[in-house]
Amino acid sequence: MSEHVFKVFASKFWIEFDSEKDKNQISNIFKALLEKLFYVGSKNDVLVGHVKLFGKGFQGMYVKGNVTGKLENLKVEIEGGREKRIKMWLNIISHQGEAEKIKSNFCNVLREFEDEMNVRIENLEVVL
Amino acid sequence: MRLLILFGFFGAGKTTLIIKLAKNFVRRNKKVAIVVNDVGKIGIDDKVIEHYGLKVKEIFGGCICCQLGTDLVETLDFLEKNYNPEIVILEPSGGASPEALYSTLKYVRELKIIYFPKISLIDATQFNVLIEVIEPLIKAQIKNSDIVLINKIDVVLEKNVEEIKKDIKKINEKSSILPISALENINMNELISILEV
């Protein structure tokens, strides 16, 4: 068996907050994003695969996050103080999902995420 | 060049473990390089590892056990000629087949590679689900290992770890099993001494 049975989705974009946010606020924003993406790739609340993200802030912030298996395994790790703009890279790898469905759900999730968290997504690049 | 290959499914904690091991090797004045394989066309693990100041080469956009096998051979060759590391840690993608990867490495004829014991990493929080859903891959990773590391033991009950140990023994009775938590540094010294660096 190889990775061929997994659906792989990769993306990079910038996130801009409405104002400068501190570490805790940013942690909560990324937890919300990972939670939404967990449901994009999972089936019956189990993700066989992972969602992984990495972010680099324009003032030096470092963000690392992932979720695998169950939602309770979601983790976000942040180093740095405050940021207004973060460059993001993320991968969704799923055994259950369909690539095109993940892609379309991903865009819906980003729209919801922008509205709910009051952030702006820019320069989105998506690779299947 | 000594080559340490760390198999494990997506999310098992391979990158976290590799960063811990590499930092330990560097503290012992070893020249270390890391090769990571992301199946996604946008790499993430290289950025995480580079953040810790470690030397990393990434092969992304496919799997080194199959379609990117040639890239792996070239990368190892490049590292030896340009960086000459004492230790290379290789992180295959979570879906990599050990048999296919070891077959690919047979083509690395010009390099003198000394292999560390074969290691696979099991996520204690997910083992029961994965062994049901993707049994052939998980079994192949365990079967092809000299050492099976049960990771994330800090967040599961001890009795669950014991059950996982029994299941691993049924698949590969010859393997050594070491429960660890790479994140919380549990049994990491034991692992380092097994690796005899």
Coordinates of all heavy atoms in Angstrom, one line a residue, chain A residues 55-119:
Chain A
G55 N 2.8 28.3 10.2 CA 2.6 29.7 9.9 C 3.8 30.6 10.4 O 4.5 30.2 11.4
K56 N 4.1 31.6 9.6 CA 5.2 32.5 10.0 C 4.7 33.9 9.9 O 4.2 34.4 8.9 CB 6.3 32.3 8.9 CG 7.7 32.2 9.5 CD 8.7 31.8 8.4 CE 10.1 31.8 9.0 NZ 11.1 31.4 8.1
G57 N 4.8 34.6 11.0 CA 4.3 36.0 11.1 C 5.3 37.0 10.6 O 6.5 36.7 10.5
F58 N 4.7 38.1 10.2 CA 5.6 39.2 9.7 C 6.4 39.8 10.8 O 7.4 40.5 10.5 CB 4.8 40.2 8.9 CG 4.5 39.6 7.5 CD1 3.5 38.6 7.4 CD2 5.1 40.1 6.4 CE1 3.3 38.1 6.1 CE2 4.8 39.6 5.1 CZ 3.9 38.6 5.0
Q59 N 6.1 39.6 12.0 CA 6.9 40.1 13.1 C 7.6 39.0 13.8 O 8.0 39.1 15.0 CB 6.0 40.9 14.1 CG 5.4 42.1 13.5 CD 4.5 42.9 14.5 OE1 5.0 43.2 15.6 NE2 3.3 43.0 14.2
G60 N 7.7 37.8 13.1 CA 8.5 36.7 13.6 C 7.8 35.6 14.4 O 8.4 34.7 14.9
M61 N 6.5 35.7 14.4 CA 5.7 34.7 15.1 C 5.8 33.3 14.4 O 5.9 33.3 13.1 CB 4.3 35.1 15.3 CG 3.4 34.0 16.0 SD 1.8 34.6 16.4 CE 2.0 35.4 17.9
Y62 N 5.8 32.2 15.1 CA 5.9 30.9 14.6 C 4.7 30.1 15.0 O 4.4 30.1 16.2 CB 7.2 30.3 15.0 CG 7.3 28.8 15.0 CD1 7.7 28.1 13.9 CD2 7.0 28.0 16.2 CE1 7.8 26.7 13.9 CE2 7.1 26.6 16.2 CZ 7.5 26.0 15.0 OH 7.5 24.6 15.1
V63 N 3.9 29.5 14.1 CA 2.7 28.8 14.5 C 2.8 27.4 13.9 O 3.2 27.2 12.7 CB 1.5 29.4 13.9 CG1 0.2 28.7 14.3 CG2 1.3 30.9 14.2
K64 N 2.6 26.4 14.7 CA 2.6 25.0 14.3 C 1.3 24.4 14.8 O 1.0 24.6 16.0 CB 3.8 24.3 14.9 CG 4.1 23.0 14.3 CD 5.4 22.4 15.0 CE 5.1 21.4 16.0 NZ 6.2 20.7 16.5
G65 N 0.6 23.7 14.0 CA -0.7 23.0 14.5 C -1.0 21.8 13.7 O -0.6 21.6 12.5
N66 N -1.6 20.9 14.4 CA -2.1 19.7 13.7 C -3.2 19.0 14.4 O -3.4 19.2 15.6 CB -0.9 18.7 13.4 CG -0.5 18.0 14.7 OD1 -1.1 17.1 15.2 ND2 0.7 18.5 15.2
V67 N -3.9 18.2 13.6 CA -5.0 17.3 14.2 C -5.0 16.0 13.5 O -4.8 16.0 12.2 CB -6.3 18.0 14.3 CG1 -6.8 18.4 12.9 CG2 -7.4 17.1 15.0
T68 N -5.1 14.9 14.2 CA -5.1 13.6 13.6 C -6.0 12.7 14.4 O -6.1 12.9 15.6 CB -3.7 13.0 13.5 OG1 -3.7 11.7 12.9 CG2 -3.0 12.9 14.8
G69 N -6.6 11.7 13.8 CA -7.5 10.8 14.6 C -8.8 11.5 15.0 O -9.7 11.7 14.3
K70 N -8.8 11.9 16.3 CA -10.0 12.5 16.9 C -9.7 14.0 17.1 O -8.6 14.4 17.3 CB -10.3 11.8 18.2 CG -10.8 10.4 18.0 CD -11.2 9.8 19.2 CE -11.7 8.4 19.0 NZ -11.9 7.6 20.2
L71 N -10.8 14.8 17.2 CA -10.7 16.2 17.4 C -9.9 16.6 18.6 O -9.2 17.6 18.7 CB -12.1 16.8 17.4 CG -12.2 18.3 17.4 CD1 -11.4 18.9 16.2 CD2 -13.6 18.8 17.4
E72 N -10.1 15.7 19.7 CA -9.4 16.0 20.9 C -7.9 16.0 20.8 O -7.2 16.5 21.7 CB -9.8 15.0 22.0 CG -9.4 13.6 21.8 CD -10.2 12.5 22.4 OE1 -11.5 12.7 22.4 OE2 -9.7 11.6 23.0
N73 N -7.3 15.5 19.7 CA -5.9 15.5 19.5 C -5.4 16.8 18.9 O -4.2 16.9 18.6 CB -5.5 14.3 18.6 CG -5.8 13.0 19.2 OD1 -5.8 12.8 20.4 ND2 -6.2 12.0 18.4
L74 N -6.3 17.7 18.7 CA -5.9 19.0 18.0 C -4.9 19.8 18.9 O -5.0 19.9 20.1 CB -7.1 19.8 17.8 CG -7.1 21.1 17.0 CD1 -8.5 21.4 16.4 CD2 -6.6 22.3 17.8
K75 N -3.8 20.2 18.3 CA -2.7 20.9 19.0 C -2.3 22.2 18.2 O -2.1 22.1 17.0 CB -1.5 20.1 19.1 CG -1.6 19.1 20.3 CD -0.2 18.5 20.6 CE -0.3 17.4 21.6 NZ -0.8 16.2 21.1
V76 N -2.1 23.3 18.9 CA -1.5 24.5 18.3 C -0.4 24.9 19.2 O -0.5 25.0 20.4 CB -2.6 25.6 18.1 CG1 -1.9 26.9 17.6 CG2 -3.6 25.2 17.1
E77 N 0.8 25.2 18.6 CA 1.9 25.7 19.3 C 2.4 27.0 18.7 O 2.5 27.1 17.5 CB 3.0 24.6 19.1 CG 4.1 24.7 20.1 CD 5.2 23.6 19.7 OE1 4.8 22.4 19.5 OE2 6.4 24.0 19.5
I78 N 2.6 28.0 19.6 CA 2.9 29.3 19.1 C 4.1 29.9 19.8 O 4.2 29.7 21.0 CB 1.7 30.3 19.2 CG1 0.6 29.8 18.3 CG2 2.1 31.7 18.9 CD1 -0.6 30.7 18.2
E79 N 5.0 30.5 19.0 CA 6.1 31.2 19.7 C 6.0 32.6 19.1 O 5.8 32.8 17.9 CB 7.5 30.6 19.3 CG 7.8 29.3 19.9 CD 9.1 28.7 19.3 OE1 9.9 29.4 18.8 OE2 9.2 27.4 19.4
G80 N 6.2 33.6 20.0 CA 6.2 35.0 19.5 C 5.2 35.8 20.3 O 4.4 35.2 21.1
G81 N 5.1 37.1 20.0 CA 4.3 38.0 20.8 C 3.0 38.3 20.1 O 2.0 37.7 20.4
R82 N 3.0 39.3 19.2 CA 1.8 39.7 18.6 C 2.0 39.8 17.1 O 3.1 39.9 16.6 CB 1.5 41.2 19.1 CG 1.3 41.3 20.6 CD 1.0 42.7 21.0 NE -0.3 43.1 20.6 CZ -1.4 42.9 21.3 NH1 -1.4 42.3 22.4 NH2 -2.6 43.4 20.9
E83 N 0.9 39.6 16.4 CA 0.9 39.6 14.9 C -0.4 40.2 14.3 O -1.4 40.1 14.9 CB 1.1 38.2 14.3 CG 2.5 37.6 14.3 CD 3.5 38.3 13.5 OE1 3.1 39.2 12.6 OE2 4.7 38.0 13.6
K84 N -0.2 40.7 13.1 CA -1.4 41.1 12.4 C -1.6 40.3 11.1 O -2.7 40.2 10.5 CB -1.3 42.6 12.0 CG -2.6 43.2 11.5 CD -2.7 44.7 11.6 CE -4.1 45.2 11.2 NZ -4.4 45.3 9.8
R85 N -0.4 39.8 10.6 CA -0.4 39.1 9.3 C 0.5 37.9 9.4 O 1.6 38.0 9.8 CB 0.2 40.1 8.3 CG -0.3 40.0 6.9 CD 0.2 41.3 6.2 NE 0.5 41.1 4.8 CZ -0.4 41.0 3.9 NH1 -1.7 41.1 4.2 NH2 -0.1 40.8 2.6
I86 N -0.1 36.7 9.0 CA 0.7 35.5 9.0 C 0.6 34.7 7.7 O -0.4 34.6 7.1 CB 0.2 34.6 10.2 CG1 0.4 35.3 11.5 CG2 0.8 33.2 10.2 CD1 -0.1 34.5 12.7
K87 N 1.8 34.3 7.3 CA 1.8 33.4 6.0 C 1.6 32.0 6.5 O 2.3 31.5 7.4 CB 3.2 33.6 5.3 CG 3.2 33.0 4.0 CD 4.4 33.4 3.2 CE 4.3 32.8 1.8 NZ 5.4 33.1 0.9
M88 N 0.7 31.3 5.8 CA 0.3 29.9 6.2 C 0.6 28.9 5.1 O 0.4 29.2 3.9 CB -1.2 29.9 6.4 CG -1.7 30.8 7.5 SD -1.1 30.4 9.1 CE -1.4 28.6 9.2
W89 N 1.0 27.7 5.5 CA 1.1 26.6 4.6 C 0.3 25.5 5.3 O 0.4 25.3 6.5 CB 2.5 26.1 4.5 CG 3.5 27.0 3.8 CD1 3.9 26.9 2.5 CD2 4.2 28.1 4.4 NE1 4.8 27.9 2.2 CE2 5.0 28.7 3.4 CE3 4.2 28.7 5.6 CZ2 5.8 29.8 3.6 CZ3 5.1 29.8 5.8 CH2 5.8 30.3 4.8
L90 N -0.5 24.8 4.6 CA -1.2 23.6 5.2 C -1.4 22.5 4.3 O -1.5 22.6 3.1 CB -2.5 24.1 5.9 CG -3.8 24.4 5.1 CD1 -4.6 23.2 4.8 CD2 -4.6 25.4 6.0
N91 N -1.5 21.3 4.9 CA -1.8 20.0 4.2 C -2.9 19.3 4.8 O -3.0 19.3 6.1 CB -0.6 19.1 4.4 CG 0.5 19.3 3.3 OD1 0.3 20.0 2.3 ND2 1.7 18.9 3.6
I92 N -3.8 18.8 4.0 CA -4.8 17.9 4.5 C -4.6 16.5 3.8 O -4.5 16.5 2.6 CB -6.3 18.4 4.1 CG1 -6.5 19.8 4.7 CG2 -7.3 17.4 4.7 CD1 -7.9 20.4 4.2
I93 N -4.4 15.5 4.6 CA -4.2 14.2 4.1 C -5.3 13.3 4.7 O -5.5 13.2 5.9 CB -2.8 13.6 4.4 CG1 -1.8 14.5 3.7 CG2 -2.7 12.1 4.0 CD1 -0.4 14.1 4.0
S94 N -6.1 12.7 3.8 CA -7.3 12.0 4.3 C -7.4 10.6 3.6 O -7.3 10.6 2.4 CB -8.5 12.8 4.1 OG -9.7 12.0 4.4
H95 N -7.7 9.6 4.3 CA -7.9 8.3 3.7 C -9.3 8.2 3.2 O -9.6 7.5 2.2 CB -7.7 7.2 4.8 CG -7.9 5.8 4.3 ND1 -9.1 5.1 4.6 CD2 -7.1 5.0 3.6 CE1 -9.0 3.9 4.0 NE2 -7.8 3.8 3.5
Q96 N -10.2 9.0 3.8 CA -11.7 8.8 3.5 C -12.2 9.8 2.5 O -13.1 9.4 1.7 CB -12.5 9.0 4.8 CG -12.1 8.1 5.9 CD -11.4 8.9 7.0 OE1 -10.6 9.8 6.6 NE2 -11.6 8.6 8.2
G97 N -11.6 11.0 2.5 CA -12.2 12.0 1.6 C -12.0 11.9 0.1 O -11.2 11.1 -0.3
E98 N -12.8 12.7 -0.6 CA -12.5 12.7 -2.1 C -11.9 14.1 -2.3 O -12.3 15.1 -1.8 CB -13.9 12.7 -2.8 CG -14.6 11.3 -2.7 CD -16.0 11.4 -3.2 OE1 -16.3 12.3 -4.1 OE2 -16.8 10.7 -2.6
A99 N -10.8 14.0 -3.2 CA -10.0 15.2 -3.4 C -10.8 16.5 -3.8 O -10.7 17.5 -3.2 CB -8.9 14.9 -4.4
E100 N -11.7 16.3 -4.8 CA -12.5 17.4 -5.2 C -13.5 18.0 -4.2 O -13.7 19.2 -4.0 CB -13.3 17.1 -6.5 CG -12.5 17.0 -7.8 CD -11.8 18.4 -8.1 OE1 -12.3 19.4 -7.7 OE2 -10.7 18.3 -8.7
K101 N -14.0 17.0 -3.4 CA -14.9 17.4 -2.3 C -14.1 18.1 -1.2 O -14.6 19.1 -0.7 CB -15.5 16.1 -1.7 CG -16.9 16.3 -1.2 CD -17.5 15.0 -0.9 CE -18.8 15.2 -0.1 NZ -19.4 13.9 0.3
I102 N -12.9 17.7 -0.9 CA -12.1 18.4 0.1 C -11.8 19.8 -0.4 O -11.9 20.7 0.3 CB -10.8 17.6 0.3 CG1 -11.1 16.3 1.1 CG2 -9.8 18.4 1.2 CD1 -9.9 15.4 1.3
K103 N -11.5 19.9 -1.7 CA -11.2 21.2 -2.3 C -12.4 22.2 -2.2 O -12.2 23.3 -1.7 CB -10.8 21.0 -3.8 CG -10.2 22.3 -4.4 CD -9.8 22.0 -5.8 CE -9.4 23.3 -6.5 NZ -9.1 23.0 -8.0
S104 N -13.6 21.7 -2.6 CA -14.7 22.6 -2.5 C -15.1 22.9 -1.1 O -15.4 24.0 -0.7 CB -15.9 22.1 -3.3 OG -16.3 20.8 -2.8
N105 N -15.0 21.9 -0.2 CA -15.4 22.1 1.2 C -14.3 23.1 1.8 O -14.7 23.9 2.7 CB -15.4 20.8 2.0 CG -16.6 20.0 1.7 OD1 -17.6 20.6 1.2 ND2 -16.6 18.8 2.0
F106 N -13.1 23.0 1.4 CA -12.0 23.8 1.9 C -12.4 25.3 1.7 O -12.2 26.1 2.6 CB -10.7 23.4 1.3 CG -9.5 24.3 1.7 CD1 -9.0 24.1 3.0 CD2 -9.0 25.3 0.9 CE1 -7.9 24.8 3.4 CE2 -7.9 26.0 1.3 CZ -7.4 25.8 2.6
C107 N -12.8 25.6 0.5 CA -13.1 27.0 0.2 C -14.3 27.5 1.0 O -14.3 28.6 1.5 CB -13.4 27.2 -1.3 SG -11.9 27.0 -2.3
N108 N -15.3 26.6 1.2 CA -16.5 27.0 2.0 C -16.0 27.2 3.5 O -16.4 28.2 4.1 CB -17.5 25.9 2.1 CG -18.2 25.7 0.7 OD1 -18.2 26.7 -0.1 ND2 -18.7 24.5 0.4
V109 N -15.1 26.4 3.9 CA -14.6 26.5 5.3 C -13.9 27.8 5.5 O -14.0 28.5 6.5 CB -13.7 25.3 5.7 CG1 -12.7 25.6 6.8 CG2 -14.5 24.1 6.0
L110 N -13.1 28.2 4.4 CA -12.3 29.4 4.5 C -13.3 30.7 4.6 O -13.0 31.6 5.4 CB -11.4 29.6 3.4 CG -10.1 28.8 3.4 CD1 -9.1 29.2 2.3 CD2 -9.4 28.8 4.7
R111 N -14.3 30.6 3.8 CA -15.3 31.7 3.8 C -15.9 31.8 5.2 O -16.0 32.9 5.8 CB -16.4 31.4 2.8 CG -16.0 32.0 1.4 CD -17.2 32.0 0.5 NE -17.6 30.7 0.1 CZ -17.1 30.0 -1.0 NH1 -16.2 30.6 -1.7 NH2 -17.5 28.8 -1.3
E112 N -16.4 30.7 5.8 CA -17.0 30.7 7.1 C -16.0 31.2 8.1 O -16.3 32.0 9.0 CB -17.3 29.2 7.5 CG -18.6 28.7 7.1 CD -18.7 27.2 7.5 OE1 -18.2 26.8 8.6 OE2 -19.4 26.5 6.8
F113 N -14.8 30.7 8.0 CA -13.7 31.1 8.9 C -13.4 32.6 8.9 O -13.3 33.3 9.9 CB -12.4 30.3 8.5 CG -11.2 30.7 9.3 CD1 -11.1 30.4 10.7 CD2 -10.1 31.3 8.7 CE1 -9.9 30.7 11.4 CE2 -9.0 31.6 9.4 CZ -8.9 31.3 10.7
E114 N -13.4 33.2 7.7 CA -13.2 34.6 7.6 C -14.4 35.4 8.3 O -14.1 36.3 9.0 CB -13.2 35.0 6.1 CG -11.9 34.8 5.4 CD -11.9 35.4 4.0 OE1 -12.8 34.9 3.2 OE2 -11.1 36.3 3.7
D115 N -15.6 34.9 8.1 CA -16.7 35.6 8.7 C -16.7 35.5 10.2 O -16.9 36.5 10.9 CB -18.1 35.1 8.1 CG -18.2 35.4 6.7 OD1 -17.5 36.3 6.2 OD2 -19.1 34.8 6.0
E116 N -16.5 34.3 10.6 CA -16.7 34.0 12.1 C -15.5 34.6 12.9 O -15.7 35.1 14.0 CB -16.7 32.5 12.4 CG -18.1 31.9 11.9 CD -18.1 30.4 12.0 OE1 -17.2 29.8 12.6 OE2 -18.9 29.8 11.3
M117 N -14.3 34.6 12.3 CA -13.1 35.0 13.1 C -12.7 36.4 12.7 O -11.7 36.9 13.3 CB -12.0 34.0 12.9 CG -12.3 32.6 13.2 SD -13.1 32.3 14.8 CE -11.7 32.5 16.0
N118 N -13.4 37.0 11.8 CA -13.1 38.4 11.4 C -11.7 38.5 10.9 O -10.9 39.3 11.4 CB -13.3 39.4 12.6 CG -13.7 40.7 12.1 OD1 -14.0 40.9 10.9 ND2 -13.7 41.7 13.0
V119 N -11.3 37.6 10.0 CA -10.0 37.6 9.4 C -10.1 37.7 7.9 O -11.2 37.5 7.3 CB -9.2 36.3 9.7 CG1 -9.0 36.2 11.2 CG2 -9.8 35.1 9.2

